[in-house]
Structure formats: C-alpha cells, structure tokens
Amino acid sequence: MTPSLPPTDGKPGPSSPCPALLEPIRLGSLLVKNRVEAAPSLPNLAGADGFVTRELIAYYQAKARGGAGIVTIGESAVDADYAPTHGGQLLIDHDNKISGLNALAEAIKRYGARASLELCHAGRQTTPHLIGDRQPIAPSPIPSAFHEMLAGQEISVQEMTPAMIEQVVENYADAALRLKRAGFDMVLLHGGHGWLLAQFLSPLTNKRADEYGGTIENRAQFSLQVLRRIRERCGSDFAIEYRFSADEHVPGGLQLDEATRFAELIESEVDCFQVSCGMIGEPSTFPIIHPACYLPHGRNVHLAQAIKARVTKPVTAVGAILDLELGEKIVSEGSADLVAMARALIADPDLPRKGVSGRGEDISPCIRCNECLARVA
C-alpha cells in the first residue's frame, strides 16, 4: 500500500523532511494543504470538441493521488473560434462541458488536492487550421515566427477591435464561471509565454495607440478587465492565480522592471502569482521557459523572488524544480511561497508522496530530456 502524506491540517512535525513545503497556505479564502502545485501540462487527451475523457481524468488524478496540494489542468481554450493553441486540448466554451469538468474536478479533490485549470487564449500564437481557417486575432497585427514555421506559410493576424476585446473578456469570465459551477476551487490565468494576455502586456507585440497601448498601465488594462470580470462573475471564494513571464528574454519584449510594475497593478485582483518567463512565438526562449538539461535547476526562481519582493500576495516559482529538496530550499528561504512542478510530475506523479515518506530512492527522476514536450509540439 502506498504511504500517505503526513497530515496537513496542522503544522508538520519536526521529523518531516520538508517542513516548509508541507505547511498549508491560503490563497484568498482557499486553504491549500501544502506548497506543491502540479504545474499545468498539456497531455492532448481531450476528446472531440474539447470534452473531458477518462484518459484525461486518469492523467490528472494521478498527480492528486501523488500528493500535490494543487493540481492544475493545462492550457484550456476559452472559446473555440480563436483561442485554441493545440489539438486535443479542453475547450471551456459551452455549458455542455460542465458535467465532464465536474468529474475531472471530483477526481482531483478526492485526494485532498485543490482543483485548478489554466485558461488560455492563443491570440497570434496559433495556426489557421486550429481555428477553422480563421485569421488569428491579437492586439496588433504581428505574426508569430514560430507559428508561421509550423504552418509553413505566412500568417495574417487581425488587430482586435474594441468589440473583439469585449467578447474575449466575456469568454474568459464565462469559462471561469463554468469551472466554478463544475466544482473547481480556483483558476490559473495564463498571462505568460506570449499568449493573448501577454500579447497585450508586451511592448514587442502591442503597438496600439488607444487605451490598451503605450504605457505599462495601458497595456495592463486587458488583463485587469479579464480579472475584474471573473471576480464579478465568480465571487471572492473562487481563487485566481495569474501566471506571467517576468522576463520575455527577447529584444523589445517585457522585462523585469515592467513586470514588477504589472504585478503591483493587478495585485488587488489576484490571490496568487505564478512567475515564469519567455515567449512561445520566439523559439529561442523555449530552453528557458522549460529549462533544459544544460541550465541550472530552478533557473527562473530569481524572477519569482524579485516579484515576491514587490507584492504581498503569495508567489509560485516554476521552472526546473525537480525535487522536494530544492522546493524546500526555495520556500524555506523565502524566494517563493509555493513551487510548481510540471516535468518532474510527468516523470513520476508520486514524487511528493514518495519524497516525504522516505522513499526518495523509488522516485523516477526527470532528466530534462524534454521528450514529453517534443511529443506534443
């Protein structure tokens, strides 16, 4: 029988190998049993038209059974017209998805984990064949170099009108409400890696001359509208985590100084920040978004630490955090409040449970070969 995690309704005992990681934490009104989040990953197991499948439930349930405090479903599109980023991903676009989402949430919560889901909109970072041969939409008509490479042709991008912006804001809020109705505890908004929320924020991809462009305060308006609409629709008892790239690592892109200002601007609307980096549309940043084997473990923790120094809400670090020892160090030293693991829990979803029960030698380690990413690219 697999040993269970130590109790997390009180303070972990002095013999715990990871006392800081096992401390419960509040995200708004939501109590999370420990500081380990199963970071969003996309197994491409959704069914036709973006419905939940048994295979998808099994994939995420394993992470909850393995001991993570939060299990986050990866990149799920807020609408079917322009938002999809990959084939085989969930669509949170219609109330007919709620029943399947409820089964998914209940499978995660059965093990005491909090159920979350990453809402995403591709913006310019998609190809026409993924969105019914439509032209991608974005704050400015600037194509993604990576997606033109995938498509094997130039891609024409539509600049979003005010009406389009309003519709997407509504789509986010509608999707979040469906998650709450389905029993999810929280939502993760993907405002990093160059997806639509990030496209409005980045000076590289936002060249607008209206109230959504120019200063960092203007470029933050789209994110603020989405956050406020979700809060109006879902209330204060539904936690919101916001993922963003604190440094896009491309010339002319968002850098840490503006990223910290952005965090300050949205802090009142979120319950937690998740700090990443990079931009999918620029392939040179891939090895830093998902730190490759030739980069240090915890490569992006310094970004989370910089954001944490400027905000009071909890901060999650992500990026090549592959074992509990590093996670414990990050949290105990105050660099971040939580750690998110993606590839480590693909290699072994039972990593948290094995680690805290003294079975570290039984863990199947992630070696950062990134084969898991190559299979779904």
Side-chain angles (χ1 to χ4, degrees):
M1 181 176 177
T2 304
S4 62
L5 281 170
T8 55
D9 54 351
K11 295 197 178 288
S15 62
S16 168
C18 305
L21 279 185
L22 292 179
E23 282 280 354
I25 187 170
R26 284 198 178 274
L27 307 183
S29 63
L30 183 69
L31 182 66
V32 180
K33 68 179 182 179
N34 62 46
R35 308 296 182 97
V36 178
E37 177 175 355
S41 58
L42 181 64
N44 290 10
L45 290 173
D49 298 322
F51 282 87
V52 171
T53 63
R54 288 177 294 179
E55 292 81 5
L56 189 78
I57 291 174
Y59 175 82
Y60 288 109
Q61 186 177 39
K63 298 176 191 291
R65 187 172 56 242
I70 302 170
V71 175
T72 305
I73 313 306
E75 270 176 47
S76 301
V78 299
D79 64 66
D81 291 338
Y82 295 103
T85 64
H86 298 81
Q89 70 179 150
L90 290 176
L91 298 178
I92 319 298
D93 63 329
H94 195 279
D95 287 354
N96 62 7
K97 305 297 198 311
I98 291 175
S99 176
L101 290 167
N102 175 252
L104 178 57
E106 290 302 313
I108 291 168
K109 293 162 71 170
R110 185 173 301 141
Y111 296 94
R114 295 301 190 175
S116 184
L117 182 144
E118 182 181 53
L119 288 180
C120 189
H121 192 298
R124 72 183 191 126
Q125 290 186 166
T126 190
T127 57
H129 88 272
L130 284 173
I131 56 174
D133 292 323
R134 301 177 184 89
Q135 291 176 274
I137 60 175
S140 299
I142 303 169
S144 159
F146 177 62
H147 291 84
E148 286 191 328
M149 181 180 71
L150 287 179
Q153 63 184 52
E154 293 184 355
I155 296 176
S156 177
V157 176
Q158 303 179 66
E159 180 168 302
M160 294 172 70
T161 65
M164 288 177 173
I165 292 172
E166 170 60 23
Q167 183 61 62
V168 173
V169 171
E170 272 293 293
N171 291 347
Y172 268 102
D174 287 345
L177 183 58
R178 290 183 185 108
L179 296 179
K180 183 175 183 179
R181 291 173 60 194
F184 276 80
D185 302 293
M186 57 186 291
V187 65
L188 173 63
L189 297 186
H190 200 341
H193 301 174
W195 303 115
L196 183 62
L197 288 165
Q199 290 162 36
F200 273 88
L201 186 62
S202 175
L204 181 66
T205 51
N206 184 346
K207 305 298 184 182
R208 298 178 75 95
D210 61 8
E211 64 270 29
Y212 295 99
T215 65
I216 182 64
E217 288 78 10
N218 283 3
R219 286 182 275 122
Q221 287 307 305
F222 180 62
S223 296
L224 281 166
Q225 287 181 9
V226 169
L227 286 164
R228 288 167 179 160
R229 194 74 57 86
I230 289 174
R231 189 65 80 194
E232 289 170 5
R233 201 71 55 84
C234 297
S236 60
D237 61 341
F238 186 66
I240 301 175
E241 185 175 15
Y242 194 97
R243 171 184 264 201
F244 69 108
S245 293
D247 190 335
E248 289 184 323
H249 292 295
V250 293
L254 189 74
Q255 296 181 2
L256 184 57
D257 57 344
E258 285 199 323
T260 54
R261 175 60 181 150
F262 172 70
E264 292 171 340
L265 288 168
I266 70 168
E267 181 175 11
S268 64
E269 307 298 335
V270 305
D271 298 299
C272 184
F273 294 95
Q274 187 172 131
V275 183
S276 188
C277 70
M279 176 188 290
I280 298 294
E282 298 295 330
S284 63
T285 71
F286 277 34
I288 311 174
I289 297 174
H290 318 284
C293 58
Y294 48 80
L295 293 175
H297 288 210
R299 163 63 178 75
N300 301 319
V301 172
H302 69 288
L303 297 173
Q305 187 174 23
I307 298 300
K308 183 171 168 56
R310 298 283 288 271
V311 300
T312 59
K313 298 289 178 67
V315 172
T316 305
V318 66
I321 302 170
L322 303 177
D323 56 64
L324 297 187
E325 292 76 15
L326 177 56
E328 176 70 15
K329 183 174 188 292
I330 290 167
V331 173
S332 64
E333 293 182 354
S335 298
D337 301 287
L338 302 96
V339 294
M341 299 179 170
R343 292 171 293 173
L345 299 188
I346 293 174
D348 192 340
D350 288 322
L351 184 155
R353 189 180 300 279
K354 290 177 180 177
V356 300
S357 60
R359 299 172 57 219
E361 72 280 359
D362 294 336
I363 292 172
S364 299
C366 169
I367 60 173
R368 297 193 289 170
C369 64
N370 284 347
E371 179 66 19
C372 57
L373 297 175
R375 290 182 180 182
V376 298

